Amino acid sequence: MVSSYFKNLLLKLGLPEERLEILEGKGALAEDEFEGIRYVRFRDSARNFRRGTVVFETGEAVLGFPHIKRVVQLENGIRRVFKNKPFYVEEKVDGYNVRVVKVNDKILAITRGGFLCPFTTERIEDFVNFDFFKDYPNLVLVGEMAGPESPYLVEGPPYVKKDIEFFLFDIQEKGSGRSLPVEERYRLAEEYGIPQVERFGLYDSSKVGELKELIERLSEEKREGIVMKSPDMKRIAKYVTPYANINDIKIGSHIFFDLPHGYFMQRIKRLAFYLAENHVKGEEFENYAKALGIALLRPFVESIHEVANGGEVDETFTVRVKNITTAHKMVTHFERLGVEIHIEDIEDLGNGYWGITFKRVYPDATREIRELWNGLAF
Ligand code: ATP
């Protein structure tokens, strides 16, 4: 239930009363509090309030980050999305999405789902120059947090060797969610020294050959892909490397039963389109086929062995925090997400940082494997 204070606020912000009632009826609005600031989170979209929107008690709204269209046939995809017009190409960094915003003199980091993340909020000052928010309190910095020490993902991009880093890829206005034009974002990021995703410059549909070479290189370098953006940010599309499709399958197969079947099917589909579009044949084709098979099967079989030997399906991850209380807040935060994690180890790393090792257990996947291993017939 949302308090009458927030109901009035949402009505004032333009959410029609009947929409508010529907959202409430299906539990799509969640009222919460983070370090003394109350907020409402949208678990579904309604009107211009996209899923993941957060409305603070101050009346400030940070809209959810929109879905980016995916192309799977690169050449035809870019023609269809961008016609013959130019578009900027940037790296698609493999991490988790955060929106960084100033509310009541606090800088807060919001996840894609609209949760205020205690870990990212604590660490964001290590990466972002807060002077930006003194000058632009009405703007939201949107970027990817990526690295091997992430609370949400088991791997990061190859060039982040330790810890985690922030990579800016969008700047939006509070309230409207409107993105600044690409060049304006590049300029502001440079002016304030905010780290950005790698930029590959302007392309258009006549340069598809060069774009394909870029994809090949990124794939060899074990990078995730590209995001293409018209200069005004009105048209955006993403394309993922064959490496990332296979690697995602490898990561997912470890927790096979915890993921929807579509997770695997989508990635196989994307890989098949890559192989078809580029006429991959012979030995190269065989190598992809083998890599896909191993990615799909090996971690899955390892998980079965683990459970058969009395263990469980789990994942271990390490993060660096400045206060041990942040680690405990992360356990509570994950509980809210319906995820069970335990602190396994705490290590003093010096320089005011603690290394925290968490274990995430997958009870449903473990149970399912155990039952099948024990001979469940169906
Ligand atoms: P959706 O399909 O709704 O976009 P998703 O999580 O399935 O969500 P992804 O395949 O993860 O989609 O791709 C979109 C995400 O890519 C963005 O939400 C953003 O966090 C991330 N990303 C990384 N680099 C960039 C970039 N340069 N520009 C835009 N997004 C980027």
Side-chain angles (χ1 to χ4, degrees):
M1 280 298 276
V2 175
S3 61
S4 54
Y5 175 80
F6 271 109
K7 274 188 197 152
N8 287 329
L9 199 55
L10 293 172
L11 293 173
K12 249 196 254 161
L13 289 172
L15 186 69
E17 192 154 8
E18 59 281 6
R19 293 304 288 265
L20 180 64
E21 276 166 22
I22 296 171
L23 284 172
E24 271 223 288
K26 55 181 179 180
L29 295 176
E31 188 170 334
D32 219 327
E33 185 259 323
F34 182 82
E35 294 181 5
I37 302 175
R38 298 205 67 79
Y39 67 97
V40 162
R41 174 168 56 85
F42 281 65
R43 299 159 85 172
D44 270 332
S45 300
R47 281 279 172 96
N48 45 343
F49 298 88
R50 304 185 282 246
R51 198 184 83 81
T53 292
V54 172
V55 175
F56 291 96
E57 61 185 11
T58 55
E60 289 155 293
V62 178
L63 293 203
F65 187 77
H67 165 68
I68 296 177
K69 282 188 185 137
R70 183 187 302 280
V71 298
V72 295
Q73 214 282 9
L74 188 65
E75 185 164 359
N76 294 334
I78 57 180
R79 254 201 222 107
R80 198 143 166 180
V81 177
F82 299 102
K83 316 287 183 239
N84 293 318
K85 305 240 174 68
F87 51 87
Y88 283 96
V89 178
E90 300 173 357
E91 178 174 4
K92 183 176 192 300
V93 175
D94 186 14
Y96 63 94
N97 181 303
V98 287
R99 284 164 284 156
V100 186
V101 63
K102 182 172 179 182
V103 180
N104 279 354
D105 287 332
K106 280 198 176 130
I107 309 291
L108 304 169
I110 306 169
T111 64
R112 188 91 194 266
F115 290 89
L116 276 86
C117 173
F119 166 77
T120 320
T121 298
E122 186 196 66
R123 292 295 312 275
I124 198 68
E125 64 175 3
D126 294 348
F127 314 108
V128 171
N129 173 3
F130 285 178
D131 284 349
F132 175 85
F133 292 107
K134 276 196 205 128
D135 299 339
Y136 298 101
N138 200 35
L139 294 181
V140 182
L141 297 177
V142 191
E144 201 81 349
M145 290 288 282
E149 296 175 27
S150 154
Y152 301 110
L153 294 160
V154 292
E155 274 181 26
Y159 46 83
V160 184
K161 302 285 182 215
K162 60 178 173 60
D163 198 10
I164 195 157
E165 289 174 25
F166 176 82
F167 300 91
L168 183 81
F169 57 71
D170 203 345
I171 301 181
Q172 298 186 350
E173 273 174 8
K174 275 182 192 161
S176 71
R178 196 184 64 88
S179 293
L180 296 192
V182 173
E183 278 153 59
E184 207 171 325
R185 159 164 50 95
Y186 290 169
R187 191 182 56 72
L188 279 174
E190 255 155 44
E191 188 182 332
Y192 288 86
I194 300 167
Q196 315 187 50
V197 293
E198 188 170 339
R199 292 159 289 153
F200 301 114
L202 266 182
Y203 284 74
D204 60 47
S205 55
S206 71
K207 288 191 183 164
V208 68
E210 286 165 53
L211 208 50
K212 283 188 177 177
E213 280 168 26
L214 174 64
I215 299 289
E216 300 287 299
R217 174 165 74 80
L218 293 177
S219 196
E220 270 162 34
E221 292 172 0
K222 306 189 171 185
R223 292 158 81 177
E224 197 192 12
I226 56 170
V227 183
M228 297 160 278
K229 305 175 177 183
S230 63
D232 61 4
M233 291 289 282
K234 298 264 191 284
R235 274 156 294 136
I236 307 185
K238 62 193 174 194
Y239 184 84
V240 166
T241 60
Y243 164 80
N245 288 322
I246 294 178
N247 198 52
D248 277 2
I249 289 174
K250 184 191 91 188
I251 293 168
S253 117
H254 173 67
I255 51 166
F256 190 85
F257 288 110
D258 234 74
L259 290 168
H261 294 176
Y263 175 92
F264 298 99
M265 299 306 281
Q266 293 295 342
R267 285 160 177 86
I268 294 169
K269 174 190 78 183
R270 290 174 209 159
L271 183 65
F273 272 88
Y274 170 84
L275 298 174
E277 180 176 359
N278 296 290
H279 302 279
V280 177
K281 294 193 190 71
E283 198 184 326
E284 199 187 346
F285 184 90
E286 306 271 313
N287 289 342
Y288 274 115
K290 189 171 169 194
L292 172 64
I294 291 175
L296 198 50
L297 287 174
R298 190 181 278 156
F300 190 7
V301 173
E302 282 168 1
S303 289
I304 298 174
H305 282 308
E306 181 68 38
V307 174
N309 292 328
E312 54 189 358
V313 180
D314 57 30
E315 273 167 1
T316 301
F317 58 94
T318 302
V319 299
R320 291 173 198 222
V321 296
K322 298 179 191 198
N323 298 288
I324 293 176
T325 49
T326 306
H328 294 291
K329 284 183 195 163
M330 282 307 277
V331 175
T332 315
H333 169 66
F334 272 108
E335 259 165 32
R336 266 198 211 122
L337 300 173
V339 170
E340 197 184 323
I341 63 165
H342 310 290
I343 297 177
E344 291 271 292
D345 189 42
I346 299 177
E347 187 192 349
D348 187 353
L349 301 174
N351 299 326
Y353 287 89
W354 297 90
I356 312 286
T357 304
F358 294 100
K359 192 167 168 183
R360 174 172 178 179
V361 290
Y362 290 87
D364 295 343
T366 305
R367 195 174 317 114
E368 191 133 5
I369 292 178
R370 191 177 297 134
E371 294 204 332
L372 292 170
W373 187 259
N374 289 337
L376 177 75
F378 55 91

